[in-house]
Amino acid sequence: MALRARLMGPGRGPRVLLLLSAAFTALLVASILLLPSLLLRTGGARGPSFLLSSPAAGDLQQEQQDQRYPVSFAYLISAASGDAARAARLLAALYHPANTYLLHLDREAPAGEHRRLAELVSARAVYARAGNVWVVGRPNLVTYRGPTMLTTTLHAVALLLRLRRRWDWFVNLSASDYPLVTQDACLLADMMEAFAGLPRDLNFIQHTSHLGWKIKKRARPVILDTALYEDGRAELIRPENITTNLRRLPTAFKLYTGSAWTMLSRPFAEYVTMGWDNLPRTLLLYHANIVSSPEFYFQTVACNSLRFRNATVNHDLHFIRWDNPPKQHPLHLTARDYRRMLLSGAPFARKFREGDPVLDRIDRDILRRRGPGQFAYGGWCAGDGDGDGGAAALCGNPQEPRRKGAVRAGAGARRLKVLLGKALAPGNLRRRQCR
């Protein structure tokens, strides 16, 4: 998203900027505190909103899930305009009845695309039967590199906590991500197997206090995000002469940076939402005017918290290829990166172009899906159908009594366990933890 410059007079600039910053931070806090305004509902100004799960079915499935599966995950899938089909494909690749899924399509997307996303998701009857897939009915306006990306993630965390479903870790993904671990059923059998033996308070957050070039380009410039106060508009504003509007680095806390893609434990998710010792709120105010705040916020909260700093693993669980020196966007992954993706052991990779042939190869060779619209064969999902009905297709109904819910690990679990073993090795963990 391009930044728009506004010139300010030499005498008024800093004062006006401070007043505007105060107004923006107040709006940001209000957007977080008014969490019920984002609850999924059945109607809205932009057309129909969608709640794609049955509460009764969800409660019953939840009781069964607690007995069948060792761990479970809550996913946020964020999509921008034009990404409805990609988000639906990612959901199918990630799907497992034990998990919870929340899809958010930027409010800037046309109303027709919001309807299309809901139609793509509601067309899969298994989602409603399991009661575990939700589409945000009142989406946010999101500015790239602005704090509205962060507030959208925090809103999603709050919603997923409010739903009456068990989950152990929260994972944020974009529609340009894709899973890399195989499974016995649908992706997360390997995830469940790999994470079943881990402490439930671990957070996977790539982080460092060595800010480097980000001091000048990210931490010190002051920005304003128009999506916090203007309807139908999303851009960042900062003065043209940023050398006169640079703030000093904080001394009340230590600033950390890293990847915007994280896996947060449920205790930490509750902490950043409730903020009972005020650290998350204080840091949220600070990050209201920082460039690319999702690359700073969770890192800074975790590493400045006495409770969570020793439960933070320095890894984002993604395979990402950057150019040298790294720019704002990672390189697109192609078939040439396939072997390196597998060898990384990471459960996710980004980013991919829509419809790239390497995605079909991942579906066929890793996830064992027979098509981009189908679930993987085995475990909870077995039979001759496409996963959405048919007398022989067990995956059409997650509550089918013949389904045992077995978790059988595959090669993906072995690769992921190697990665986790290295990241959690005592010497390696302490050496790379909140330094």
Side-chain angles (χ1 to χ4, degrees), residues 21-74:
S21 299
F24 277 101
T25 53
L27 286 169
L28 180 63
V29 173
S31 69
I32 294 297
L33 295 180
L34 296 177
L35 292 175
S37 66
L38 192 68
L39 289 178
L40 308 181
R41 61 195 188 105
T42 57
R46 291 179 57 88
S49 302
F50 300 90
L51 181 59
L52 299 172
S53 61
S54 166
D59 290 347
L60 178 59
Q61 176 65 18
Q62 185 67 31
E63 293 176 3
Q64 297 174 345
Q65 159 206 322
D66 290 339
Q67 300 175 359
R68 291 180 180 180
Y69 303 106
V71 295
S72 58
F73 302 85

Side-chain angles (χ1 to χ4, degrees), residues 307-325:
R307 176 181 177 184
F308 294 104
R309 63 176 299 140
N310 293 326
T312 301
V313 183
N314 199 346
H315 204 291
D316 65 358
L317 302 178
H318 272 68
F319 175 84
I320 304 176
R321 190 164 66 90
W322 298 92
D323 53 6
N324 191 17

Side-chain angles (χ1 to χ4, degrees), residues 1 20 37 56 66 86 172 224 242 244 252 284 347 388 398 401 403:
M1 182 69 68
L20 287 174
S37 66
D66 290 339
R86 300 174 75 184
N172 65 322
L224 305 175
I242 63 172
T244 61
L284 184 62
D388 274 357
R403 187 177 292 93

